[in-house]
Amino acid sequence: MAGGEVRTSPELPLKLRLSLAIFSAVSNVSLRRNGTVNRRLMSLVDFKSSTNKKPIKGVTTSDTTVDSSRNIWFRAYRPREASSGENLPVIVYFHGGGFALLGANSKPYNDLCLRLSRKLPAIVVSVNYRLSPDHRYPSQYDDGFDALKFLDDNPPANADLTRCFIAGDSAGGNLAHHVTARAGEFEFRNLKILGLIPIQPFFGGEERTESETQLARAPVLSMKLTDWYWRAFLPEGSDRDHAAANVFGPKSSGISGVKFPKSLVFIGGFDPLKEWQKRYCEGLKRSGNEVKVVEYGNGIHGFYVFPELPESGLMVEEVREFMKERTGFGDQ
Ligand SMILES: *[C@@H]1O[C@H](CO)[C@@H](O)[C@H](O)[C@H]1NC(C)=O
Ligand SMILES: *[C@@H]1O[C@H](CO)[C@@H](O)[C@H](O)[C@H]1NC(C)=O
């Protein structure tokens, strides 16, 4: 490697490297230049998992329709503890995919939510929302918020909605933030949000940050790709300083005055988005909110869906500690 050149990726296991390369190549071709998605091609690498009534490592799953006309539904994960009658905290989870790809039944997310449900333990509710470019901003936020309202009226068995956390990764982390901000101005009957957990959230702006430039060709998420996602998601004619992307930027009114819970934000050292994520954390603090920032130096974008990476397990531990601190559950 030439002196001064920036590494764009840590050492990764070969198998993981291969699956990333295949996924990246297929999604690159599927996201067309004219802004549409070749869904048929994409489905070749987006493996889906069905629900399991028979427990897998103690966890059972089931799907519930929220609104069939918009194809909003969620997959609920019930760990062993819930089956034996214990009431558990709830994590409402929003999957990533640049607002344009994947679903709540995509295998990596099914596996991640199953792992979270079992290890925390918690009832995880993973929300399926509409995708861009067919549905642009604010469809995804509407869907996410409507799923919360539905949950409030229809709590899953053994779900203690007074101990609710909103989480999501990448575009789902962006969604988690905006849904939480909306929830702060709404009175739920039962549901109480005790924490927000954005995992490598997808934020951006017109400016090019140092990490975006240096890690422009990082695995999973290149700058060309993030530009494509924003173009497909934001309203036609708007730029990346739109408040949905640049939440504390020049065109945003921020969240001052909004009731907002404590946040636990995960950042990866090899994620081109890390500068935007740090600014996000600063913005939360400036607005008077508590934030715990966890940065993994070797974290690539999407590390959490690979249980073979040590950071993936560390993240689950952090989430467990955060939930414990916020709820006192686990104290006997
Ligand atoms: C985009 O390109 C695809 C494939 O070439 C084509 O089928 C589709 O109609 C185009 N859509 C628009 C909106 O231009
Ligand atoms: C796909 O790869 C080509 C060549 O590197 C690049 O020009 C294009 O912007 C990529 N598309 C997306 C959506 O990242």
Side-chain angles (χ1 to χ4, degrees), residues 3-315:
E5 200 173 303
V6 177
R7 279 168 71 208
T8 57
S9 164
E11 298 297 327
L12 294 171
L14 179 66
K15 201 170 141 228
L16 196 158
R17 214 175 260 281
L18 262 169
S19 62
L20 284 182
I22 292 169
F23 186 85
S24 298
V26 175
S27 49
N28 176 284
V29 182
S30 302
L31 304 179
R32 298 184 183 115
R33 209 161 302 183
N34 72 6
T36 62
V37 181
N38 185 338
R39 303 262 171 221
R40 246 198 13 222
L41 184 55
M42 199 56 217
S43 70
L44 299 178
V45 291
D46 179 11
F47 303 107
K48 304 289 191 189
S49 295
S50 47
T51 53
N52 54 286
K53 285 206 184 73
K54 256 201 188 155
I56 297 179
K57 295 186 177 171
V59 182
T60 55
T61 64
S62 59
D63 291 346
T64 301
T65 301
V66 173
D67 178 353
S68 55
S69 70
R70 289 181 284 167
N71 196 29
I72 310 176
W73 54 269
F74 60 75
R75 179 161 295 177
Y77 297 74
R78 286 168 59 78
R80 184 173 287 130
E81 289 80 357
S83 307
S84 23
E86 199 180 323
N87 279 345
L88 295 173
V90 179
I91 293 194
V92 178
Y93 195 88
F94 296 106
H95 70 81
F99 302 108
L101 305 178
L102 309 178
N105 54 353
S106 293
K107 187 172 187 307
Y109 287 109
N110 189 73
D111 294 353
L112 172 64
C113 291
L114 209 137
R115 197 149 51 92
L116 284 170
S117 175
R118 176 167 63 95
K119 294 205 163 169
L120 293 172
I123 306 271
V124 177
V125 170
S126 177
V127 178
N128 197 72
Y129 51 85
R130 288 173 293 174
L131 299 176
S132 60
D134 315 78
H135 304 281
R136 289 170 177 270
Y137 164 93
S139 312
Q140 288 76 359
Y141 302 166
D142 292 343
D143 296 358
F145 188 58
D146 289 347
L148 270 195
K149 288 200 286 193
F150 178 92
L151 268 179
D152 191 37
D153 294 329
N154 308 275
N158 302 99
D160 178 0
L161 287 177
T162 64
R163 291 183 287 162
C164 184
F165 293 80
I166 311 287
D169 67 285
S170 197
N174 174 301
L175 240 160
H177 165 83
H178 286 284
V179 167
T180 301
R182 267 197 209 182
E185 299 183 300
F186 186 81
E187 286 295 327
F188 292 101
R189 289 201 305 182
N190 302 304
L191 190 144
K192 198 158 176 276
I193 299 173
L194 298 188
L196 167 65
I197 309 171
I199 304 166
Q200 299 188 298
F202 185 27
F203 294 120
E206 277 301 302
E207 187 191 330
R208 299 299 190 184
T209 63
E210 197 179 322
S211 61
E212 279 178 300
T213 311
Q214 287 187 339
L215 297 169
R217 293 156 169 281
V220 187
L221 203 63
S222 65
M223 197 155 64
K224 287 204 161 134
L225 200 52
T226 55
D227 285 356
W228 191 100
Y229 285 138
W230 288 128
R231 272 197 306 275
F233 170 68
L234 295 172
E236 311 247 12
S238 50
D239 65 20
R240 293 187 304 272
D241 280 333
H242 188 284
N246 199 349
V247 280
F248 295 108
K251 294 182 185 170
S252 172
S253 49
I255 53 162
S256 298
V258 177
K259 198 170 91 208
F260 214 79
K262 183 172 177 178
S263 300
L264 171 64
V265 183
F266 290 97
I267 297 179
F270 285 102
D271 184 350
L273 298 175
K274 68 181 176 184
E275 285 298 329
W276 287 113
Q277 291 156 356
K278 286 176 188 171
R279 290 185 196 186
Y280 169 69
C281 295
E282 290 310 312
L284 287 177
K285 286 180 197 160
R286 273 200 313 278
S287 325
N289 298 291
E290 279 186 277
V291 188
K292 176 161 190 201
V293 186
V294 177
E295 181 169 355
Y296 299 122
N298 270 338
I300 56 166
H301 193 79
F303 71 84
Y304 37 81
V305 298
F306 301 107
E308 61 268 47
L309 296 178
E311 293 81 7
S312 188
L314 293 174
M315 183 189 86

